[in-house]
Amino acid sequence: MPETSTVRFRRITLTTAATMSLSLVLAACGGNSASPTPAATTSMSQAEIDKALSTPTELTFWTWVPDIEQEVALFEKKYPAIDVKVVNAGQGVPQYTKLRTALQAGTGAPDVVQMEYQYIPTFTITGSLLDLRPYGAQALKDTFVDWTWGQVGGPGGEVWAIPQDTGPMGMLYRQDIFDKHGIPVPKTWDEFAAAARKLHAADPEVYLTNLAANEAAAWHGLLWQAGAKPYVNANKSDISIKVNDEPSKKLAAYWGGLAKDGAIGVEPDFTDSWFSALNKGKYATWITAAWGPVFLSGSAKSTAGKWRAAPLPQWDASAPASGNWGGSTSAVVKTTKNPIAAATFAQFLNSDPASTKLFTTKQFFFPATKALLADPAFVGDTPAFYGGQRVNQVFADISGTVGPSFQWPPFLDRVVTDWTETVGKSLSAKTDTVAALEQWQTRITTFAKSQGFTVKAQ
């Protein structure tokens, strides 16, 4: 079954893309030299804010979210002097490429842009995003789940974007297949591995799960859960890279071992054959994110009523943990000529109760706000596809176990390309995944140094 446009935007992935050298990325800052924005420590007075929001203004908003005009209309109703022009400039990497081009040219950049959490460092290192602290963003900190605020913040307390949706990771599983083979829901990864071998031995046509060899996003989410700290950005020139630390090696030995044994699938995800496999019962679980339940219910309709949700199996059952896969934010581009209006829009869009509620009911986003994660109407939903289980409650609870300190590199495209050609390749070829980590480490480190970074040990 092909991936439909209405669900494609929900699965935000670390897509493999052509690598852009850091020198070219840095050149994208060229248009920022005449920025009209204030210093980060200068707070706007209420008089300045009132004047800006009552002055006729047009903002350009780049976003790939379908039907977001309804949320935008709420803002325009509250601030009738502000007209927001919604532009779909592509999803993910294609949009970022256009943004870099516009910044380099010094013209054509939007005021506000949809941006995934993992891409924020790619644009903050070039000075392309506006620090939202002077516009009151810090007051919203307690509105959002703690770990999401960490994702949009900088080392100096900057607020680079406003969280919009999230993807805490859990496990969807086929209750009927588990019942047929007497498999209890795995609470630990050891139990998961034993179940994987048991199930495939009993039925060679069925695997407990598929770990896609093309999906760096899922791998990073699993690194996050395992407590790895693969990237630590000290400043714009110093970075620690350790994709081969002990938690990473544990992860590689685990999944590489299951792949070598043929106990799990490793086919690319979000392909026709992968959709078909889910519909035919080839996979008894899907290690996914909070956007997965809605996605699956639209993509595997023939399996309705057979699925349930659970937290990820744990490395340490006494300390529940998860990672995040997906989700995005609203960031203000530093070249905007209307910083107050743009910052106000980004904040309103993602914190106004009516707007955030629409995201959960119209786009089926998994929320970033604490209020929605505690809303009985949201967490109490009992979809028939999941046998009436309160799936949103499951993932709301999982969201509270996501660690707050995971960081992303400022050259993500290259990291993903190198992962696919090393770790991903080892999974599909059933070779040594631990050894592949060393290759990945070497390639990323060499690239970082070639771009002028000082790579430090953690």
Side-chain angles (χ1 to χ4, degrees), residues 345-369:
F345 171 66
Q347 294 175 63
F348 176 94
L349 189 68
N350 302 309
S351 65
D352 176 76
S355 180
T356 55
K357 182 79 169 182
L358 259 181
F359 279 127
T360 68
T361 57
K362 183 68 178 179
Q363 286 88 11
F364 301 104
F365 276 176
F366 196 80
T369 64

Side-chain angles (χ1 to χ4, degrees), residues 387-407:
Q389 184 185 17
R390 296 175 59 178
V391 174
N392 287 343
Q393 182 68 70
V394 173
F395 280 94
D397 292 342
I398 291 170
S399 183
T401 69
V402 176
S405 60
F406 194 87
Q407 295 186 34

Side-chain angles (χ1 to χ4, degrees), residues 165-317:
D165 65 304
T166 65
M169 291 182 70
M171 181 180 72
L172 302 180
Y173 65 95
R174 285 280 298 266
Q175 183 71 67
D176 58 327
I177 296 176
F178 275 35
D179 289 346
K180 178 180 178 181
H181 293 277
I183 298 173
V185 178
K187 298 293 193 299
T188 68
W189 286 115
D190 284 345
E191 292 174 359
F192 186 91
R197 293 185 169 93
K198 173 184 175 180
L199 176 60
H200 192 57
D203 187 346
E205 300 299 318
V206 179
Y207 296 91
L208 185 62
T209 202
N210 180 71
L211 185 69
N214 68 327
E215 195 59 81
W219 186 266
H220 278 86
L222 291 170
L223 282 176
W224 194 332
Q225 187 214 17
K229 297 185 184 302
Y231 324 103
V232 177
N233 302 294
N235 50 53
K236 287 189 175 183
S237 61
D238 297 340
I239 185 172
S240 295
I241 300 172
K242 207 70 174 175
V243 297
N244 60 347
D245 61 4
E246 287 308 311
S248 302
K249 288 179 179 177
K250 175 175 65 177
L251 198 70
Y254 181 87
W255 289 105
L258 288 174
K260 266 187 176 183
D261 292 347
I264 60 169
V266 291
E267 71 173 306
D269 57 6
F270 304 103
T271 62
D272 287 348
S273 62
W274 181 81
F275 284 113
S276 177
L278 287 176
N279 276 277
K280 293 179 179 178
K282 180 178 179 180
Y283 301 121
T285 74
W286 182 23
I287 303 299
T288 185
W291 44 261
V294 174
F295 184 97
L296 187 66
S297 65
S299 303
K301 293 181 179 179
S302 64
T303 61
K306 299 177 180 178
W307 292 88
R308 302 291 185 272
L312 288 179
Q314 298 294 308
W315 294 108
D316 179 357

